Amino acid sequence: MTTELDNLIAHFEADASLFDPDQLRQRMEVLDELDAHFGEADGTALMAASGPARIVERATVLRGRLESANAAIYRSIRDQIRNGLPPSELLRWVKLCGDQQNAPAPGLGYDYLDELISGVLQLREPYNAPQPEPEMVFYQPTPARHIFQMIQISGLSGSDTLIDLGSGLGHVPILAAILTGAHSIGIEIEPAYVASARDCTCNLGLDRVTFIRQCAGDADLSTGTVFYLYTPFTGNTLKMVLRRLQRESTHRAITVCTLGPCTLTLAEKPWLRTNAQPDPNQITVFRANA
């Protein structure tokens, strides 16, 4: 085992191409392999099983070099966003880190695109994840590939106001504002998530994103043209929010985008229509005309 790990580290150390600026995806793959063999961070958790400390130390140094190269890319993307420039660099890396397919992979797992977005946004996760209240769902962020798909197929633009009901750390409103210029509002009941989302928008200089600490059932929905739900709640809370959305739809045309089990609930509503087969594992876009 020691010899195999020694050879593996030596192979990566000798591969100068890994540190080419365009090899972000490849560095992510190597970092994943290092995590599998040595654990995350400094690797001490698996040191005994992984062999002598000298190998772990080499893996730690290599990991630091790879992460430093990636961090330089993330800083460059953040600088472009802060300067109010079109997100061309972000989109270039999205293309390079994605799976190069016409439709995003179904399901709620994560991939290298999520690593890219995490590195760029640097959203601070609470040390202790809050326990969900009754009818609230345990939080997990929307996989990045589905966010990009939602933005594309909903037709979200700079003239829209997106309201994310149960926005968590804020990935969806933040990316929507960066990519389209839409005014984005995140409604989230957990104060730690709201604080992290607000810090991110401040650090990126985004003035078209607002995060409100509030129960979705009490939120002002009157400005929204596009609404997003990643099954943030169930039961009576979901029923109440859908009744309020239905009332909003009597005043103007609205779009409701969903992911997860709530998709099938919305598919049963006669006031909503969709051109696609509702699928909890993919973004489904519903339209409602006033």
Side-chain angles (χ1 to χ4, degrees), residues 193-229:
Y193 293 150
V194 173
S196 178
R198 288 173 176 170
D199 286 347
C200 179
T201 58
C202 181
N203 290 336
L204 292 176
L206 300 173
D207 57 7
R208 294 181 63 80
V209 187
T210 304
F211 289 97
I212 301 171
R213 184 196 170 195
Q214 192 174 34
C215 174
D218 300 326
D220 179 7
L221 307 181
S222 62
T223 61
T225 58
V226 179
F227 298 87
Y228 178 63
L229 294 92

